[in-house]
Amino acid sequence: MWLGGRLWLPVLGQVCSNLRFLAIARTWSACRGPMAERLSTGAEAASGLGAPAQQNGDAGGAARGEQPPGHPEPGGPGEEPVSGDAKQPSGNGERAPAAALGPGKRKKRRGAVGERVVPPPKKRRAGVSFGDEHFAETSYYFEGGLRKVRPYYFDFRTYCKGRWVGHSLLHVFGTEFRAQPLAYYEAAVRAGRLHLNEEPVQDLSIVLKDNDFLRNTVHRHEPPVTAEPIRLLAENEDVVVVDKPSSIPVHPCGRFRHNTVIFILGKEHQLKELHPLHRLDRLTSGVLMFAKTAAVSERIHEQVRDRQLEKEYVCRVVGEFPTEEVTCKEPILVVSYKVGVCRVDPQGKPCESVFQRLSYNGHSSVVRCRPLTGRTHQIRVHLQFLGHPILNDPIYNSAAWGPSRGRGGHIPKTDEELLRDLVAEHQAKQSLDVLDLYEGDLCPGAPDSTAPSSELSKDCLEEMAASSQKIDGAVEAAPRDLDGVPVTSEKATKMDVVNQETDPLCSECRRVPQDPSPQDLVMFLHALRYKGPDFEYCSPMPAWARDDWQEH
């Protein structure tokens, strides 16, 4: 036994040494992470670079860093850089961060011995900005209490999508852009309206390749909005605060470009490069804040993330709302991003709203709303769930939701049936703009891509062909520049159609849309107050929220 013990002593000594080594390694590993983090944070702070600004978030501050839809040309003035959240290559051959590789696939970035690796700073986002050339595209006029935009020519630009590669333009237009018949695109080719890699398209049978750049010149019509002015509530070196009227979108999206808060502020108040700090739905009115600099935007978004901001809305709802304070915590799910419809669903995102009745006139109630989170349509969806939808809400107080109109989350139809019925209801009322849709968006389920659209008769197609031939003649007879070189097809086409409010190839010019009344553009939901640690902005109470207001 003693001999065996003597033989085991070296082994036990080696085991104890290994255990001590492991303990030291664990201690060093635990300390190393925070130390490296402090070193990285200190270097970033020393360089004056903070967290990137996130803008265009939900009304409650759930910032998402989205690029405004309907943005100007890629790479042109006003294009926003990618959100700081995105993992971007640094441009010097560095690999993506290991976190982007997924679990089990982490890779260490190795440098020289003793080198301390500091990740590159994230880029700050620029403000939403448009130049004078954009503002000069068209002009406003006022009629019947509406702000209208004169139709204008606009270039839609896009790079070839992956699923288009190897297919012809004829195939792409026939399968994905069915709002117009193929005869329209053939006439557009003859008129010099379509360009591929900045060269006029001669034949729709051309096959698309990766990275091809498409440009399509169209005659653009924007829906009217209220003529009510955008009132400035406050302006200083940090922020611009406005009282947004109902019906005006915040930034270009869908069919709206000039009839947006961003464009109106730029054209009429010379306020440019603004950073939207929160969103309001197009039909919602009230306090809307913009930061003037990236630093201010970052600071306020930091307050948003720390839940330091308070928002207060006022609305008028159906029926007699309870006198006691009501809290709704139902999760909300987006049914359709295209149509912009949400509903309460257990699979949705968690959210919370607090409601307090202010008055009741025997038919409807004025309610104060405090959204503690910022989901899309949160106030409107929660009020619908409670059985008191906003009185004139065109979506959540619609018969398309069924007899109970969505109260308690009871919807006796599938999401597809709900969307179909909502669209059909607004199509019948000629109010598709409420859903940010228009007739061209409503393509048949499986149409014959070679057949003309039902809304374009044979006479119309012949007129389009004749008009394109007329434009061809104008191109052939185009003047020459000082060097004797004929003006390009593109320039001749634009010279022939510039400043014209009607276009022979435009299907919307053949329609006679019915203008909405100014009252139809108002929804009874208003952002009353926006408060932070060092600011508070309020707007006046709207007329429909007064105690003595009565439905007509």
Side-chain angles (χ1 to χ4, degrees):
M1 290 291 295
W2 180 82
L3 182 60
R6 288 185 60 187
L7 293 174
W8 276 102
L9 283 176
V11 177
L12 287 173
Q14 184 64 37
V15 169
C16 291
S17 176
N18 290 342
L19 289 174
R20 281 195 301 272
F21 176 78
L22 287 173
I24 294 171
R26 288 195 189 99
T27 303
W28 167 246
S29 176
C31 297
R32 185 185 178 194
M35 288 175 61
E37 184 178 354
R38 283 195 295 271
L39 286 170
S40 175
T41 305
E44 189 174 17
S47 67
L49 296 170
Q54 293 178 323
Q55 59 192 44
N56 296 342
D58 293 334
R64 294 190 303 216
E66 298 170 348
Q67 178 175 334
H71 221 259
E73 67 257 24
E79 183 181 17
E80 292 189 65
V82 178
S83 168
D85 294 342
K87 303 295 187 290
Q88 294 295 314
S90 63
N92 57 1
E94 292 181 357
R95 296 180 179 178
L101 299 174
K105 297 182 180 180
R106 298 177 64 87
K107 293 185 179 180
K108 293 182 179 179
R109 180 171 173 240
R110 301 183 183 275
V113 177
E115 178 187 4
R116 177 170 59 84
V117 177
V118 178
K122 297 176 182 178
K123 293 182 180 179
R124 286 180 170 178
R125 291 171 59 83
V128 179
S129 179
F130 296 91
D132 292 336
E133 69 275 17
H134 302 118
F135 298 145
E137 290 167 344
T138 185
S139 60
Y140 298 116
Y141 67 100
F142 297 87
E143 182 178 72
L146 301 175
R147 177 192 288 266
K148 297 184 176 181
V149 173
R150 289 185 172 85
Y152 57 99
Y153 288 91
F154 180 77
D155 286 345
F156 279 104
R157 302 161 184 254
T158 183
Y159 285 95
C160 178
K161 301 184 185 300
R163 62 179 180 274
W164 300 350
V165 174
H167 293 286
S168 67
L169 273 175
L170 187 73
H171 172 83
V172 172
F173 285 133
T175 56
E176 298 207 25
F177 297 92
R178 298 176 294 180
Q180 300 286 359
L182 289 180
Y184 165 82
Y185 296 107
E186 292 167 352
V189 165
R190 293 196 295 273
R193 303 278 182 91
L194 292 175
H195 287 74
L196 181 64
N197 300 323
E198 296 304 336
E199 294 291 333
V201 172
Q202 304 295 335
D203 190 346
L204 288 177
S205 63
I206 188 169
V207 176
L208 296 173
K209 304 183 299 297
D210 191 26
N211 239 18
D212 275 349
F213 181 67
L214 290 166
R215 180 161 59 86
N216 179 22
T217 303
V218 300
H219 197 236
R220 188 163 179 175
H221 296 245
E222 294 193 24
V225 298
T226 179
E228 184 180 345
I230 299 175
R231 296 179 178 87
L232 293 180
L233 297 176
E235 182 185 0
N236 54 42
E237 65 275 10
D238 292 335
V239 298
V240 174
V241 187
V242 303
D243 189 358
K244 183 185 92 69
S246 182
S247 80
I248 306 181
V250 176
H251 51 62
C253 56
R255 301 181 69 204
F256 294 91
R257 180 172 168 84
H258 290 265
N259 265 346
T260 60
V261 175
I262 288 286
F263 260 65
I264 294 171
L265 289 179
K267 293 177 75 168
E268 297 184 0
H269 299 277
Q270 290 71 52
L271 293 169
K272 304 175 183 179
E273 298 186 15
L274 299 177
H275 302 251
L277 295 174
H278 61 110
R279 294 188 312 177
L280 290 179
D281 294 335
R282 183 167 68 87
L283 295 179
T284 304
S285 58
V287 177
L288 180 64
M289 292 182 60
F290 298 90
K292 284 188 172 181
T293 66
V296 173
S297 176
E298 292 172 9
R299 173 167 57 83
I300 295 181
H301 277 293
E302 186 67 31
Q303 296 171 359
V304 170
R305 288 187 286 270
D306 293 342
R307 300 290 182 91
Q308 298 180 31
L309 298 187
E310 298 177 18
K311 296 161 294 176
E312 184 178 321
Y313 292 73
V314 64
C315 63
R316 184 172 284 277
V317 304
V318 171
E320 184 176 3
F321 199 83
T323 55
E324 68 275 7
E325 185 176 88
V326 176
T327 299
C328 185
K329 297 183 179 181
E330 297 296 329
I332 291 178
L333 180 72
V334 176
V335 175
S336 168
Y337 287 100
K338 180 177 179 61
V339 181
V341 178
C342 305
R343 61 175 170 82
V344 164
D345 188 278
Q347 303 300 318
K349 294 183 178 180
C351 48
E352 183 176 357
S353 307
V354 180
F355 303 100
Q356 178 66 61
R357 191 178 91 182
L358 299 180
S359 65
Y360 174 59
N361 68 359
H363 300 282
S364 59
S365 305
V366 175
V367 177
R368 181 176 61 199
C369 319
R370 291 189 297 115
L372 304 185
T373 50
R375 306 303 177 197
T376 302
H377 295 180
Q378 176 176 322
I379 291 173
R380 299 164 67 182
V381 173
H382 275 175
L383 286 169
Q384 180 198 47
F385 180 86
L386 295 173
H388 297 279
I390 293 173
L391 188 63
N392 60 350
D393 192 323
I395 295 179
Y396 299 101
N397 192 20
S398 164
W401 294 85
S404 63
R405 303 209 173 197
R407 179 171 187 166
H410 300 302
I411 308 169
K413 54 183 69 176
T414 64
D415 288 348
E416 291 74 17
E417 292 170 338
L418 170 63
L419 293 174
R420 180 200 63 199
D421 294 347
L422 273 171
V423 170
E425 177 181 320
H426 286 283
Q427 191 174 18
K429 295 178 181 177
Q430 296 187 1
S431 59
L432 283 173
D433 288 331
V434 168
L435 304 177
D436 291 327
L437 298 174
Y438 72 111
E439 293 291 341
D441 292 324
L442 307 179
C443 302
D448 177 3
S449 62
T450 61
S453 169
S454 59
E455 64 189 43
L456 293 177
S457 64
K458 181 179 179 181
D459 292 338
C460 290
L461 295 176
E462 291 176 354
E463 178 186 344
M464 288 164 55
S467 66
S468 66
Q469 292 172 2
K470 185 184 300 183
I471 295 177
D472 287 341
V475 172
E476 292 174 1
R480 298 173 178 267
D481 61 20
L482 295 177
D483 296 326
V485 180
V487 175
T488 63
S489 172
E490 175 187 358
K491 291 181 180 178
T493 301
K494 289 199 173 184
M495 282 170 28
D496 186 61
V497 299
V498 71
N499 294 328
Q500 292 187 13
E501 294 187 29
T502 58
D503 179 68
L505 270 65
C506 176
S507 60
E508 288 196 67
C509 285
R510 289 187 288 275
R511 298 193 188 102
V512 184
Q514 180 180 353
D515 282 341
S517 68
Q519 294 76 20
D520 293 337
L521 297 177
V522 176
M523 185 175 68
F524 298 156
L525 178 61
H526 182 81
L528 194 64
R529 185 172 65 97
Y530 208 75
K531 181 180 179 182
D534 53 356
F535 65 84
E536 181 174 2
Y537 299 106
C538 299
S539 65
M541 187 78 79
W544 49 259
R546 296 173 185 159
D547 295 347
D548 58 350
W549 186 87
Q550 294 291 330
E551 291 91 333
H552 299 293

Short mmCIF file of all heavy atoms in Angstrom, two decimals, residues 15 42 59 64 67 87 104 108 200 205 213 274 327 336 346 363 419 435 449 508 535 551:
data_model
loop_
_atom_site.label_atom_id
_atom_site.label_comp_id
_atom_site.label_asym_id
_atom_site.label_seq_id
_atom_site.Cartn_x
_atom_site.Cartn_y
_atom_site.Cartn_z
N VAL A 15 -2.58 16.46 -11.31
CA VAL A 15 -4.02 16.78 -11.35
C VAL A 15 -4.28 18.11 -10.65
O VAL A 15 -5.02 18.97 -11.14
CB VAL A 15 -4.84 15.64 -10.70
CG1 VAL A 15 -6.28 16.07 -10.50
CG2 VAL A 15 -4.77 14.39 -11.56
N GLY A 42 -14.57 52.63 -24.72
CA GLY A 42 -13.77 53.81 -24.47
C GLY A 42 -13.19 54.37 -25.75
O GLY A 42 -13.16 55.59 -25.96
N ALA A 59 -45.03 54.91 -33.88
CA ALA A 59 -45.40 56.08 -33.10
C ALA A 59 -44.94 55.96 -31.67
O ALA A 59 -44.69 56.95 -31.00
CB ALA A 59 -46.91 56.29 -33.15
N ARG A 64 -37.23 51.39 -36.36
CA ARG A 64 -36.90 50.29 -37.24
C ARG A 64 -35.93 50.67 -38.33
O ARG A 64 -35.48 49.83 -39.08
CB ARG A 64 -38.19 49.74 -37.88
CG ARG A 64 -39.11 49.11 -36.89
CD ARG A 64 -40.23 48.39 -37.58
NE ARG A 64 -40.97 49.27 -38.46
CZ ARG A 64 -42.27 49.17 -38.64
NH1 ARG A 64 -42.96 48.28 -37.98
NH2 ARG A 64 -42.90 49.96 -39.48
N GLN A 67 -36.18 52.67 -44.79
CA GLN A 67 -36.04 53.70 -45.80
C GLN A 67 -37.42 54.09 -46.26
O GLN A 67 -38.24 53.23 -46.55
CB GLN A 67 -35.22 53.17 -46.98
CG GLN A 67 -35.07 54.18 -48.11
CD GLN A 67 -34.17 53.67 -49.18
OE1 GLN A 67 -33.31 52.85 -48.91
NE2 GLN A 67 -34.33 54.15 -50.38
N LYS A 87 -25.45 44.58 -40.66
CA LYS A 87 -24.04 44.22 -40.64
C LYS A 87 -23.46 44.51 -42.02
O LYS A 87 -23.73 43.82 -42.99
CB LYS A 87 -23.89 42.74 -40.29
CG LYS A 87 -24.52 42.36 -38.96
CD LYS A 87 -23.83 43.04 -37.81
CE LYS A 87 -24.34 42.55 -36.48
NZ LYS A 87 -25.68 42.95 -36.16
N GLY A 104 -22.80 28.09 -33.41
CA GLY A 104 -21.95 26.97 -33.79
C GLY A 104 -21.00 27.28 -34.93
O GLY A 104 -20.26 26.44 -35.36
N LYS A 108 -13.11 33.49 -35.06
CA LYS A 108 -12.33 34.53 -34.40
C LYS A 108 -11.60 35.35 -35.46
O LYS A 108 -11.07 34.83 -36.42
CB LYS A 108 -11.32 33.91 -33.44
CG LYS A 108 -11.97 33.22 -32.25
CD LYS A 108 -10.91 32.67 -31.30
CE LYS A 108 -11.55 32.01 -30.09
NZ LYS A 108 -10.52 31.46 -29.18
N PRO A 200 -32.27 53.32 -74.34
CA PRO A 200 -33.68 53.07 -74.65
C PRO A 200 -33.93 51.61 -75.02
O PRO A 200 -33.16 51.02 -75.79
CB PRO A 200 -33.96 54.01 -75.83
CG PRO A 200 -32.88 55.05 -75.76
CD PRO A 200 -31.68 54.37 -75.19
N SER A 205 -38.45 41.73 -75.75
CA SER A 205 -37.95 40.36 -75.67
C SER A 205 -36.53 40.29 -75.10
O SER A 205 -36.00 39.20 -74.90
CB SER A 205 -37.99 39.68 -77.04
OG SER A 205 -37.11 40.37 -77.93
N PHE A 213 -30.07 47.74 -64.78
CA PHE A 213 -30.75 48.89 -64.16
C PHE A 213 -31.90 49.33 -65.06
O PHE A 213 -31.70 49.65 -66.24
CB PHE A 213 -29.75 50.02 -63.96
CG PHE A 213 -30.34 51.24 -63.31
CD1 PHE A 213 -30.78 51.21 -62.00
CD2 PHE A 213 -30.46 52.43 -64.01
CE1 PHE A 213 -31.32 52.33 -61.40
CE2 PHE A 213 -31.00 53.55 -63.42
CZ PHE A 213 -31.44 53.51 -62.11
N LEU A 274 -34.48 66.67 -42.48
CA LEU A 274 -35.12 66.43 -41.20
C LEU A 274 -35.08 64.95 -40.85
O LEU A 274 -35.11 64.09 -41.73
CB LEU A 274 -36.57 66.91 -41.24
CG LEU A 274 -36.78 68.40 -41.51
CD1 LEU A 274 -38.27 68.72 -41.61
CD2 LEU A 274 -36.12 69.25 -40.43
N THR A 327 -57.28 49.35 -19.24
CA THR A 327 -55.97 48.97 -19.78
C THR A 327 -56.14 47.75 -20.67
O THR A 327 -56.77 46.76 -20.29
CB THR A 327 -54.97 48.65 -18.66
OG1 THR A 327 -54.78 49.81 -17.85
CG2 THR A 327 -53.63 48.23 -19.24
N SER A 336 -51.74 42.33 -43.03
CA SER A 336 -51.22 42.66 -44.36
C SER A 336 -50.45 43.96 -44.30
O SER A 336 -51.00 45.00 -43.89
CB SER A 336 -52.37 42.78 -45.37
OG SER A 336 -51.92 43.34 -46.58
N PRO A 346 -52.96 35.98 -30.49
CA PRO A 346 -51.96 35.50 -29.51
C PRO A 346 -50.55 35.44 -30.08
O PRO A 346 -49.58 35.51 -29.32
CB PRO A 346 -52.48 34.10 -29.14
CG PRO A 346 -53.94 34.12 -29.48
CD PRO A 346 -54.09 35.03 -30.64
N HIS A 363 -74.16 59.54 -27.77
CA HIS A 363 -73.96 58.66 -28.92
C HIS A 363 -72.51 58.16 -29.02
O HIS A 363 -72.28 57.00 -29.38
CB HIS A 363 -74.32 59.38 -30.23
CG HIS A 363 -75.74 59.85 -30.28
ND1 HIS A 363 -76.79 59.02 -30.55
CD2 HIS A 363 -76.28 61.09 -30.07
CE1 HIS A 363 -77.91 59.69 -30.54
NE2 HIS A 363 -77.64 60.96 -30.24
N LEU A 419 -59.46 40.66 -45.88
CA LEU A 419 -58.82 41.62 -46.79
C LEU A 419 -59.64 41.80 -48.05
O LEU A 419 -59.82 42.93 -48.54
CB LEU A 419 -57.41 41.15 -47.13
CG LEU A 419 -56.40 41.15 -45.98
CD1 LEU A 419 -55.09 40.52 -46.43
CD2 LEU A 419 -56.14 42.56 -45.48
N LEU A 435 -56.87 52.76 -48.14
CA LEU A 435 -56.05 51.57 -47.96
C LEU A 435 -54.71 51.70 -48.68
O LEU A 435 -53.97 50.72 -48.79
CB LEU A 435 -56.79 50.34 -48.50
CG LEU A 435 -58.18 50.06 -47.92
CD1 LEU A 435 -58.81 48.86 -48.60
CD2 LEU A 435 -58.10 49.84 -46.42
N SER A 449 -51.77 37.10 -69.42
CA SER A 449 -50.88 38.26 -69.44
C SER A 449 -50.83 38.92 -70.80
O SER A 449 -50.37 40.04 -70.93
CB SER A 449 -49.47 37.83 -69.03
OG SER A 449 -48.95 36.88 -69.94
N GLU A 508 -54.71 56.67 -66.02
CA GLU A 508 -55.38 57.49 -65.01
C GLU A 508 -55.91 58.78 -65.60
O GLU A 508 -56.88 59.35 -65.08
CB GLU A 508 -54.42 57.78 -63.85
CG GLU A 508 -54.16 56.58 -62.97
CD GLU A 508 -53.55 56.99 -61.64
OE1 GLU A 508 -54.25 57.64 -60.85
OE2 GLU A 508 -52.38 56.65 -61.43
N PHE A 535 -38.51 68.26 -22.62
CA PHE A 535 -39.39 68.97 -23.55
C PHE A 535 -40.82 68.47 -23.40
O PHE A 535 -41.07 67.37 -22.90
CB PHE A 535 -38.92 68.80 -25.00
CG PHE A 535 -39.00 67.37 -25.51
CD1 PHE A 535 -40.18 66.84 -26.01
CD2 PHE A 535 -37.88 66.54 -25.47
CE1 PHE A 535 -40.26 65.54 -26.46
CE2 PHE A 535 -37.95 65.23 -25.91
CZ PHE A 535 -39.14 64.73 -26.41
N GLU A 551 -72.80 64.50 -33.88
CA GLU A 551 -72.72 63.89 -35.20
C GLU A 551 -73.76 64.51 -36.13
O GLU A 551 -74.85 64.85 -35.69
CB GLU A 551 -72.94 62.38 -35.13
CG GLU A 551 -71.85 61.61 -34.45
CD GLU A 551 -72.06 61.44 -32.96
OE1 GLU A 551 -72.73 62.30 -32.34
OE2 GLU A 551 -71.55 60.46 -32.41
#
